[in-house]
Amino acid sequence: INLLAETKYTWEEFTKVVHPPVPERVTFQFEGHGAPTKVDLHYKTGKTDDWEREDFAVVKHSKIAFQSSVIGVAAVAALFKFMSISPRFATPDLVWQILTLLSLVHTVVFTAPYVGKMIMYPKKVRSEWMHPAMNNAFSVPSMTLAVYAFLSWEFYSTALARVLFWAGSSTGTALAVITIGNWLSTLRHDGHMNGSWMMAPVGLFIFAVVGPIIDPGYTQVCFLFFGFATLMWVVLFASLFPRFALGPNADPRMRMFAAIWVAAPAVASIAWAVLNAGGLEQIGSMNNAPPIAITQSLFYAAVSIAMVVAWMVWRRFLYADKFFMQMWAFGFPTAGLAWA
């Protein structure tokens, strides 16, 4: 859009109010049964573009994918807490504490409507779970719990940190197993593949980072998370790269998930350092041992992918459309890369 007239027309078209009629629900029952069955056909007529634009309901239209913004904001607070612990930066504790409080408010604002949706519209939640892209976002709340476990560690309550860690890691691992099992046991094609499939291994890498920090005794089980995540990450990246290079990418909302490619190696580098050091305080004593070489390799892999993603933005392949919530997908990968 280069002309003022075109800009005004676009704005008026996007914000116009016409009060379209409510869509009509139509049902065709399966013949031979007097009562409704699971195979009955249900659909709505009259769902025009005007109706979808004007249909505003905070609870009804809340999406599990909106949780991407929640973990992104919480990860920024976790980044500044790490900087306050590191002698090199020595950031004041007050910074990350204020950011944590703000992130909690942000979490409540986005989580409360979805909890209401789970109660009031369980069928819509089930539809998201069955969706080949949206269902991957169900692992994000467990990742957020792990981030808050790190934020509460040695500040509010170590016991609370352990509870949040195990609640998040057990749920996230179970969802990873279920998700992969569903991928392998249902008929799919390459059109279903998208960057959001990387969410499960990223979550497992986060658990591998937080566990040894909270309690060095968790190191062994966190190696389980790390091994599972590494296997998933390598296989998924090898599958998704040709999908992006050769497959159709018409939907800009799906293209946004390419930013998650940065998160996996970035968080993996942190996890490998923490696991081999046995905790956060011992990382500096690793010197130039082989584990630190692997850590550096993973970090520079994340930097390389970040440069590729930045060029994709420059080419207007990413972030070239109007704002939508999937754009929050860049939040956590950016914070993870900064932490690494």
Side-chain angles (χ1 to χ4, degrees):
I1 298 176
N2 299 316
L3 300 177
L4 179 60
E6 293 177 339
T7 304
K8 290 182 177 180
Y9 173 78
T10 302
W11 174 255
E12 292 173 357
E13 184 69 18
F14 184 74
T15 58
K16 68 179 180 180
V17 179
V18 296
H19 300 294
V22 178
E24 180 183 356
R25 185 183 298 273
V26 180
T27 301
F28 287 98
Q29 291 188 354
F30 186 71
E31 295 183 359
H33 292 266
T37 65
K38 292 184 178 181
V39 295
D40 291 344
L41 177 63
H42 302 276
Y43 64 91
K44 292 180 180 179
T45 60
K47 293 185 70 171
T48 62
D49 293 340
D50 291 332
W51 181 86
E52 291 186 352
R53 187 184 65 253
E54 296 183 27
D55 182 33
F56 179 79
V58 174
V59 174
K60 183 179 181 181
H61 298 312
S62 178
K63 306 292 185 183
I64 188 64
F66 294 175
Q67 294 296 311
S68 299
S69 68
V70 173
I71 191 172
V73 176
V76 173
L79 169 63
F80 278 91
K81 180 174 182 178
F82 171 75
M83 294 174 65
S84 69
I85 297 173
S86 174
R88 180 180 300 179
F89 299 101
T91 305
D93 290 341
L94 186 61
V95 175
W96 71 264
Q97 292 169 6
I98 293 176
L99 290 174
T100 300
L101 292 176
L102 293 176
S103 70
L104 285 171
V105 174
H106 184 81
T107 300
V108 172
V109 168
F110 279 90
T111 304
Y114 198 79
V115 173
K117 180 178 179 178
M118 295 174 68
I119 298 173
M120 300 171 59
Y121 305 99
K123 291 184 178 179
K124 290 186 176 295
V125 176
R126 184 179 182 277
S127 297
E128 289 186 88
W129 172 252
M130 301 300 294
H131 194 278
M134 290 186 180
N135 66 344
N136 298 286
F138 279 91
S139 61
V140 177
S142 61
M143 298 157 57
T144 307
L145 288 177
V147 174
Y148 279 121
F150 172 68
L151 290 171
S152 61
W153 167 70
E154 286 193 344
F155 170 67
Y156 181 75
S157 172
T158 302
L160 176 62
R162 290 192 177 97
V163 171
L164 293 176
F165 169 75
W166 285 113
S169 61
S170 59
T171 304
T173 305
L175 286 173
V177 172
I178 294 171
T179 300
I180 295 177
N182 289 341
W183 292 345
L184 299 177
S185 59
T186 55
L187 181 62
R188 298 177 185 271
H189 58 81
D190 56 357
H192 289 145
M193 298 184 66
N194 57 83
S196 68
W197 285 28
M198 279 286 188
M199 288 183 178
V202 170
L204 293 170
F205 280 134
I206 294 174
F207 306 147
V209 171
V210 176
I213 295 176
I214 295 176
D215 189 340
Y218 296 165
T219 301
Q220 195 63 38
V221 70
C222 288
F223 268 111
L224 168 64
F225 301 147
F226 185 88
F228 190 12
T230 303
L231 176 63
M232 294 174 60
W233 168 46
V234 172
V235 173
L236 286 175
F237 184 76
S239 303
L240 287 170
F241 190 88
R243 165 70 180 87
F244 266 74
L246 304 175
N249 287 297
D251 191 346
R253 296 171 299 176
M254 295 295 102
R255 297 201 297 260
M256 295 298 105
F257 292 117
I260 305 178
W261 289 1
V262 180
V267 183
S269 67
I270 307 170
W272 186 251
V274 173
L275 287 170
N276 284 276
L280 196 61
E281 293 80 1
Q282 290 76 28
I283 291 181
S285 62
M286 293 173 63
N287 299 322
N288 294 320
I292 201 65
I294 297 176
T295 299
Q296 291 174 341
S297 299
L298 291 169
F299 167 71
Y300 287 117
V303 172
S304 302
I305 298 174
M307 291 190 294
V308 173
V309 172
W311 181 253
M312 293 164 70
V313 175
W314 178 262
R315 289 290 307 272
R316 298 183 64 81
F317 182 77
L318 303 177
Y319 304 100
D321 302 271
K322 66 179 182 180
F323 176 79
F324 40 81
M325 290 299 296
Q326 283 80 355
M327 288 184 175
W328 276 101
F330 81 96
F332 179 79
T334 306
L337 182 61
W339 191 352

